[in-house]
Amino acid sequence: MFNTLYMISAPSGAGKSSLLQRILKKKLICNIQLSISYTTREIREGELHKKHYFFISKEKFQNMIKNNYFLEYAKVFGNYYGTSKKMIEGILSAGIDVLLDIDWQGAQQIRRKIPNSCSIFILPPSLKELSRRLYSRRQDSEKIITKRLLQVHKEMVHYIEYDYLIVNDCFDSAVRDLQIIVESERLRINKQQFFHNTLIKNLLNNL
């Protein structure tokens, strides 16, 4: 299978979700789809079930774990998050690349199962800016924001495990960096040989 699973990770507030939304909304990358994860956390204002996440109970999530439903799953800030194995396989089999919003724990699990996946870590320009973003988006309580800030170092140290690193200082530049990574991965020789096999053979045979 030569389509690619792109894992995007970042500490809360680094702008990961905003980057993905811009890419998808503006259709800046063709033939790519966002994987929708499952979570047990409460739905936030403005979010929609089956669009942003599949919001389910902890009991249902744990039953899905027992049935080997997830490609990966992790518990983050008291809530479970997981990726459907069937969904990822279905998208890739259809010849479409996948964007996956995921934390470092899930990324570690997927690397073992899908070694040819591509991983991208996003860093904020400063801790001060990270804190400002967390407060300005008004999605979490003071208690949750404090927990997120305390976890930032533990999350960021895992950047070294990733294939690519983007510093989200200028948003438009970070969007372009993400585009460039996907475009570059698609130009790897093994993928080009696979997708343009007939063309390459015809060109070489007519020399």
Side-chain angles (χ1 to χ4, degrees):
M1 189 179 298
F2 280 83
N3 286 90
T4 304
L5 171 62
Y6 294 91
M7 300 184 291
I8 321 294
S9 303
S12 299
K16 166 171 49 78
S17 297
S18 296
L19 288 171
L20 294 176
Q21 287 169 14
R22 171 68 68 84
I23 290 286
L24 296 166
K25 186 176 181 180
K26 298 292 184 179
K27 298 181 180 179
L28 299 177
I29 302 174
C30 65
N31 200 43
I32 199 162
Q33 182 177 329
L34 180 68
S35 172
I36 302 172
S37 299
Y38 286 77
T39 184
T40 61
R41 75 161 171 77
E42 291 185 6
I43 191 169
R44 293 169 178 161
E45 185 178 351
E47 289 183 328
L48 296 172
H49 178 58
K50 296 184 180 181
K51 179 178 180 181
H52 296 96
Y53 284 97
F54 292 103
F55 294 95
I56 61 175
S57 67
K58 286 187 177 179
E59 182 181 6
K60 184 173 182 179
F61 196 103
Q62 288 166 348
N63 285 332
M64 292 166 78
I65 292 174
K66 292 176 183 177
N67 292 321
N68 196 32
Y69 186 86
F70 296 113
L71 179 64
E72 63 78 30
Y73 69 90
K75 194 173 185 180
V76 183
F77 300 113
N79 292 302
Y80 286 104
Y81 294 81
T83 303
S84 164
K85 185 191 305 181
K86 185 177 180 180
M87 180 183 294
I88 295 295
E89 290 174 348
I91 298 171
L92 293 174
S93 296
I96 301 170
D97 289 334
V98 182
L99 288 170
L100 180 57
D101 180 340
I102 194 173
D103 83 323
W104 63 269
Q105 299 174 77
Q108 285 183 341
Q109 295 174 50
I110 288 181
R111 282 191 200 95
R112 293 192 290 267
K113 298 174 181 177
I114 308 178
N116 64 337
S117 57
C118 176
S119 56
I120 304 161
F121 200 91
I122 299 167
L123 287 175
S126 68
L127 292 176
K128 182 179 179 180
E129 174 61 15
L130 184 73
S131 178
R132 185 197 69 78
R133 291 176 185 176
L134 284 172
Y135 280 100
S136 65
R137 70 185 190 180
R138 298 178 181 178
Q139 290 182 341
D140 299 304
S141 65
E142 179 83 28
K143 183 178 180 181
I144 293 296
I145 290 175
T146 299
K147 282 184 179 181
R148 291 189 185 282
L149 290 171
L150 289 172
Q151 289 292 317
V152 165
H153 181 265
K154 291 181 180 179
E155 294 173 324
M156 291 196 299
V157 294
H158 291 279
Y159 84 91
I160 197 66
E161 301 168 9
Y162 287 70
D163 300 312
Y164 296 94
L165 179 66
I166 295 174
V167 177
N168 185 14
D169 187 359
C170 172
F171 183 74
D172 287 339
S173 294
V175 169
R176 182 57 187 150
D177 287 344
L178 183 52
Q179 284 181 267
I180 290 170
I181 290 169
V182 174
E183 290 164 0
S184 299
E185 283 293 312
R186 288 177 172 180
L187 293 173
R188 287 187 179 275
I189 191 69
N190 63 327
K191 293 180 182 178
Q192 290 291 74
Q193 285 176 320
F194 177 79
F195 290 115
H196 301 291
N197 181 55
T198 301
L199 169 65
I200 293 170
K201 283 183 177 179
N202 288 337
L203 289 170
L204 295 178
N205 289 337
N206 289 324
L207 288 177

